[in-house]
Amino acid sequence: MKKEAQYLTRVLERLRAAIGSADATVRERAQTLDEQKRYIWENRDLDPQEIRSARENILNINAIGGSVLQRKERLSRMLDTPYFGRIDFREAAATGKPHPIYIGVHTFHDFDNRTSLVYDWRAPIASMYYDYELGPAAYASPAGEVSGDISLKRQYRIRGGRMEYMFDSAVTVHDDVLQRELSANADDKMRNIVATIQREQNRIIRDADAPTLIIQGVAGSGKTSIALHRVAYLLYAHKDTLTSGDILIISPNKVFADYISNVLPELGEETVPETGMAELLSEILGGKYRYQTFFEQVAELLERPAPGFAERIRFKSTLEFAASLDRFILHLENDCFRPTDVKIRHITIPHEYIAEQFRRFHRMAIRERFEPMADMIAAELDLKYGIAPTTAERNHLKAEIRKMFAGGAGGANPKNGAGDLALYRSFFAWLGRPEMFRTRRGQTLEYSDLAPLAYLRIALDGTRPRSGVKHLLIDEMQDYTPVQYRVIQRLFPCRKTLLGDAGQSVNPFGSSTAETIGQVFAGGKTMKLCKSYRSTFEITDLAQKIRPNADLEPVARHGEKPTILPFATSEAEITAIVRLIADFRLSEHKSLGIICKTEAQAAELHTKLADPDSDLLTSRSSSFSRGVVFTSAHMAKGLEFDEVIIPQATAANYRSEIDLGMLYVAVTRAMHRLTLTHSGALTPAIYSTPSVPVPVG
């Protein structure tokens, strides 16, 4: 312990010295920058070459200063927790004592002594900390595999530059450390987990071979956090070719995007851009259509679904439907281009020749062919007959070719997309299932039609792949359909990481399994995360009664049994919830989620309680904060709370398959304490858990 305390003191001293040096460098650069600006201002008669040179100097000074400031920021963060682990490793061919390797969030190199005091957790040598116990070990270096022996593995808890505890461990991450971290209270942002990454998680983070990595993780397995750590690892391992701007996250909503926004900065990386699936699809369609959002789709399924609504969603959420759409597009190409003769001045262009040109450009999207076809025909007229068509004649030729598509496929009325919509409607007639397409008031599309229509638009108009995106991360993968993934394939021909849990779908009629997704992405690699870390064993046990999952392995962290409180009236139930909120505010817990089945129920309860110190989280919210939060199960997905209250846990409220899916999501948000209340018959999903009588008064 004395030696470790001395080493910690040495690291902190060197860190402070490095921060001081960075400060001095920044001041020096700032002074030089002022001098350069003053020189330009005072010498206005400089020739252009001198001005250009001075400006380049200013830009270089700014760049260097920015780099130094980033380094200072990383070093300053390390003052709180410079490292969390250590292994002593001796290479197989080496003699003498093993080399101690301290592992932290960032690398810290002592340039005076030319030694690394702390290694970045993403460094190849640091992988042994996660992958091996004591004994033989190896890591992949740029020069090849390095093998040797680990003689010591030690773990630390350092906060505020003080060592709270340390102990030696013979396993990947000692259960005691893991238990202490898991027992910590939830915050308003997702935390990094570098100190407790498990072996199976580390394999996912460092996988560099799979073109598409599909992560199927049970509730509470840390899949989103692992995916973000994977992004940080890729940015570290490929720093010369990959930047944060080259990565895109498709996230379920703005609140979730805000909730995870802290992880990458904590790991020393910039946040990456994010968007939503509906925004991507609407962009492909040129923003021409009103459409139902995914939240509105789920809300309708939970509240008042129109006749045939669920059947239409289910119909459009299969691989077979995607295949049918491909066959229809082939039908359009083979049967719906009907060439006719076209006359330019005294020359008749035969329809056979036009058909030949259409087939010639078969690698292009259907409508993309019209212009090159017209250009090719015009060039032939000039070459064979010496007729150079005028601009008006070229435009006439293009218009005539466009008209040769039957059923509006040529793009009749392209400004408002009416032609595309008519063609999409004809697809269902072609299938013999016209009842599977319905629009709402104001020609509003159902959400399940947005992706197929976008896919049809790509086939007709073409779209350029998003070459600026080199890695795509898709969260809540189970909530997207095969057609949506087909669109993703067209837009993003890059490496991908997809993650989710089939057991947490908020719409069972329109969800995908890891197996289905694997069929869409040829060559995809599926990895499973089966251990659940978020909830106590008792909360996980209740969740398993609602939606059993044979793959789930609960972590051995015990706590209070979930409490189920019956009431005679809804007024008594609301009074009890007020009391539970008051108890929470007196506790050490930081976050309480009051999770209702629907957004409307959450809003109604929030209004009735009139608690000014609570927040209502809806599909229109953009940020997440700790404290007391009222929300729906849909919005809560991906979030976690120290305590969760689930009101109205009645048989009437939670009865259908989709209802129970919402109940499962709500239950699995709780980390330490869970309470269900009901003023009616309890939902049968949890009958096996006895109700706890309410104390009088």
Side-chain angles (χ1 to χ4, degrees):
M1 187 67 183
K2 183 178 180 182
K3 289 182 179 179
E4 289 288 6
Q6 290 172 346
Y7 188 82
L8 177 59
T9 299
R10 176 190 170 196
V11 171
L12 292 173
E13 287 174 351
R14 298 304 302 158
L15 278 169
R16 293 189 184 97
I19 292 169
S21 176
D23 280 333
T25 301
V26 170
R27 287 194 296 270
E28 179 186 333
R29 296 291 172 182
Q31 183 178 350
T32 305
L33 189 62
D34 288 340
E35 291 172 356
Q36 287 285 334
K37 290 179 178 178
R38 190 180 304 111
Y39 175 75
I40 294 175
W41 178 257
E42 293 174 352
N43 296 272
R44 301 185 185 184
D45 56 345
L46 294 174
D47 62 53
Q49 180 63 34
E50 289 178 304
I51 293 174
R52 188 159 47 249
S53 176
R55 285 177 176 169
E56 286 178 359
N57 284 338
I58 289 173
L59 290 173
N60 288 335
I61 293 167
N62 270 331
I64 294 171
S67 175
V68 173
L69 282 173
Q70 287 179 350
R71 172 173 164 76
K72 178 192 171 184
E73 186 178 340
R74 285 197 298 270
L75 296 174
S76 298
R77 280 199 294 263
M78 290 183 73
L79 283 175
D80 181 66
T81 306
Y83 49 86
F84 56 81
R86 166 186 170 181
I87 55 174
D88 286 6
F89 179 71
R90 180 168 56 196
E91 293 184 22
T95 58
K97 293 183 178 180
H99 178 60
I101 298 160
Y102 286 83
I103 300 163
V105 174
H106 305 295
T107 293
F108 179 50
H109 191 77
D110 185 348
F111 290 98
D112 293 340
N113 298 314
R114 298 182 180 180
T115 58
S116 288
L117 296 178
V118 181
Y119 288 83
D120 193 298
W121 67 279
R122 298 167 290 186
I125 197 170
S127 67
M128 294 188 294
Y129 176 75
Y130 302 108
D131 289 340
Y132 291 97
E133 302 174 11
L134 301 185
Y139 68 94
S141 77
E145 185 175 86
V146 178
S147 59
D149 188 84
I150 295 176
S151 57
L152 180 144
K153 179 182 284 187
R154 185 166 288 165
Q155 298 169 59
Y156 312 89
R157 169 78 179 229
I158 302 172
R159 293 292 183 270
R162 292 179 60 254
M163 190 177 298
E164 296 180 1
Y165 59 79
M166 72 168 212
F167 52 80
D168 294 348
S169 171
V171 295
T172 306
V173 175
H174 197 283
D175 278 347
D176 287 351
V177 172
L178 184 58
Q179 292 291 352
R180 294 191 197 199
E181 292 297 323
L182 294 174
S183 298
N185 293 321
D187 212 335
D188 57 346
K189 291 285 191 293
M190 182 179 282
R191 297 169 294 185
N192 80 72
I193 58 168
V194 291
T196 57
I197 291 171
Q198 304 294 286
R199 185 179 301 170
E200 70 275 11
Q201 296 172 333
N202 193 48
R203 285 199 298 269
I204 292 173
I205 290 170
R206 295 175 188 262
D207 189 298
D209 299 325
T212 299
L213 185 61
I214 302 167
I215 306 170
Q216 162 60 38
V218 300
S221 59
K223 50 191 172 293
T224 300
S225 185
I226 292 306
L228 291 171
H229 285 68
R230 172 170 167 77
V231 167
Y233 171 76
L234 293 172
L235 289 169
Y236 174 88
H238 305 286
K239 58 173 68 77
D240 295 332
T241 58
L242 189 68
T243 68
S244 57
D246 298 328
I247 298 172
L248 179 66
I249 297 177
I250 297 180
S251 64
N253 55 68
K254 296 294 182 185
V255 170
F256 185 71
D258 174 69
Y259 179 64
I260 66 175
S261 64
N262 208 46
V263 175
L264 287 173
E266 279 189 6
L267 298 174
E269 304 293 347
E270 296 180 11
T271 54
V272 301
E274 65 86 25
T275 189
M277 179 65 76
E279 287 83 356
L280 277 175
L281 297 173
S282 182
E283 183 183 337
I284 293 169
L285 295 168
K288 295 175 182 176
Y289 303 94
R290 295 190 187 96
Y291 59 88
Q292 179 188 50
T293 67
F294 183 53
F295 276 97
E296 289 167 344
Q297 181 196 73
V298 174
E300 181 172 344
L301 287 169
L302 289 168
E303 295 168 351
R304 296 177 303 277
F309 184 51
E311 185 184 355
R312 290 194 295 275
I313 295 171
R314 186 185 286 113
F315 181 75
K316 298 163 191 172
S317 303
T318 64
L319 288 165
E320 291 75 19
F321 178 79
S324 296
L325 200 51
D326 283 334
R327 288 196 300 273
F328 179 68
I329 292 165
L330 187 61
H331 159 71
L332 292 179
E333 182 159 352
N334 292 337
D335 302 324
C336 292
F337 183 67
R338 299 168 186 173
T340 57
D341 295 347
V342 178
K343 196 166 184 177
I344 300 292
R345 299 183 203 175
H346 61 280
I347 303 296
T348 298
I349 304 163
H351 65 276
E352 295 91 350
Y353 179 74
I354 294 174
E356 181 185 332
Q357 296 307 312
F358 181 74
R359 290 190 296 271
R360 179 176 185 170
F361 291 98
H362 69 278
R363 293 184 181 276
M364 301 177 71
I366 293 173
R367 287 179 187 155
E368 280 187 314
R369 306 177 197 184
F370 299 153
E371 189 159 340
M373 284 172 64
D375 291 341
M376 179 65 71
I377 293 169
E380 285 288 309
L381 287 172
D382 193 9
L383 182 64
K384 286 189 176 182
Y385 302 102
I387 295 175
T390 63
T391 300
E393 288 170 333
R394 282 175 178 266
N395 290 338
H396 171 70
L397 181 58
K398 291 174 190 176
E400 289 300 309
I401 293 173
R402 185 176 291 274
K403 289 178 186 176
M404 294 174 193
F405 262 99
N413 206 357
K415 288 187 179 180
N416 61 20
D420 289 347
L421 201 55
L423 186 64
Y424 180 57
R425 186 187 297 273
S426 75
F427 161 59
F428 292 95
W430 178 81
L431 278 177
R433 300 296 304 273
E435 76 281 4
M436 287 294 108
F437 177 68
R438 293 286 183 274
T439 55
R440 303 300 178 88
R441 183 180 301 174
Q443 287 291 88
T444 298
L445 294 173
E446 292 183 346
Y447 178 75
S448 59
D449 288 309
L450 200 59
L453 184 57
Y455 189 69
L456 184 60
R457 169 65 70 86
I458 290 172
L460 294 173
D461 288 351
T463 187
R464 291 184 178 179
R466 308 294 175 88
S467 57
V469 177
K470 297 180 181 178
H471 198 99
L472 183 69
L473 180 67
I474 303 178
D475 204 350
E476 303 296 351
M477 66 181 187
Q478 73 279 356
D479 289 334
Y480 304 120
T481 66
V483 175
Q484 288 174 317
Y485 284 123
R486 291 283 185 90
V487 173
I488 290 296
Q489 275 185 310
R490 296 289 189 97
L491 291 181
F492 303 102
C494 60
R495 291 183 176 270
K496 302 174 185 69
T497 300
L498 296 86
L499 57 139
D501 176 19
Q504 294 185 71
S505 172
V506 293
N507 175 10
F509 311 111
S511 61
S512 296
T513 63
E515 291 74 20
T516 300
I517 297 168
Q519 292 181 58
V520 176
F521 295 103
K525 179 180 180 181
T526 300
M527 301 183 77
K528 288 187 175 183
L529 291 171
C530 297
K531 186 165 283 190
S532 180
Y533 299 98
R534 177 187 297 130
S535 305
T536 61
F537 180 89
E538 289 74 14
I539 293 172
T540 300
D541 185 53
L542 176 60
Q544 286 285 73
K545 292 172 184 174
I546 299 168
R547 181 163 281 182
N549 184 343
D551 290 335
L552 188 146
E553 303 171 22
V555 71
R557 179 171 67 88
H558 289 276
E560 300 177 19
K561 286 187 176 182
T563 303
I564 301 174
L565 303 177
F567 298 95
T569 65
S570 59
E571 290 77 14
E573 183 178 2
I574 289 174
T575 300
I577 292 173
V578 171
R579 188 167 65 246
L580 290 169
I581 293 173
D583 291 343
F584 158 76
R585 289 189 168 127
L586 294 174
S587 74
E588 61 182 12
H589 291 159
K590 297 178 180 178
S591 62
L592 167 64
I594 301 174
I595 305 178
C596 300
K597 186 178 79 171
T598 67
E599 188 172 297
Q601 289 177 359
E604 182 182 3
L605 186 60
H606 184 252
T607 300
K608 284 182 178 179
L609 267 63
D611 186 333
D613 296 322
S614 64
D615 289 322
L616 175 64
L617 208 59
T618 72
S619 57
R620 295 170 296 282
S621 302
S622 58
S623 61
F624 177 74
S625 59
R626 64 184 179 182
V628 179
V629 174
F630 290 76
T631 192
S632 66
H634 189 175
M635 275 302 300
K637 193 165 60 162
L639 306 178
E640 60 186 21
F641 302 88
D642 292 324
E643 298 184 29
V644 165
I645 299 172
I646 303 177
Q648 303 171 16
T650 63
N653 199 28
Y654 291 101
R655 62 186 187 280
S656 66
E657 181 185 1
I658 188 171
D659 293 341
L660 297 183
M662 292 297 177
L663 183 60
Y664 179 81
V665 169
V667 166
T668 55
R669 299 311 95 197
M671 295 174 64
H672 309 302
R673 183 178 296 162
L674 173 65
T675 305
L676 295 90
T677 66
H678 63 101
S679 53
L682 181 67
T683 174
I686 48 179
Y687 270 162
S688 55
T689 303
S691 295
V692 177
V694 186
V696 177

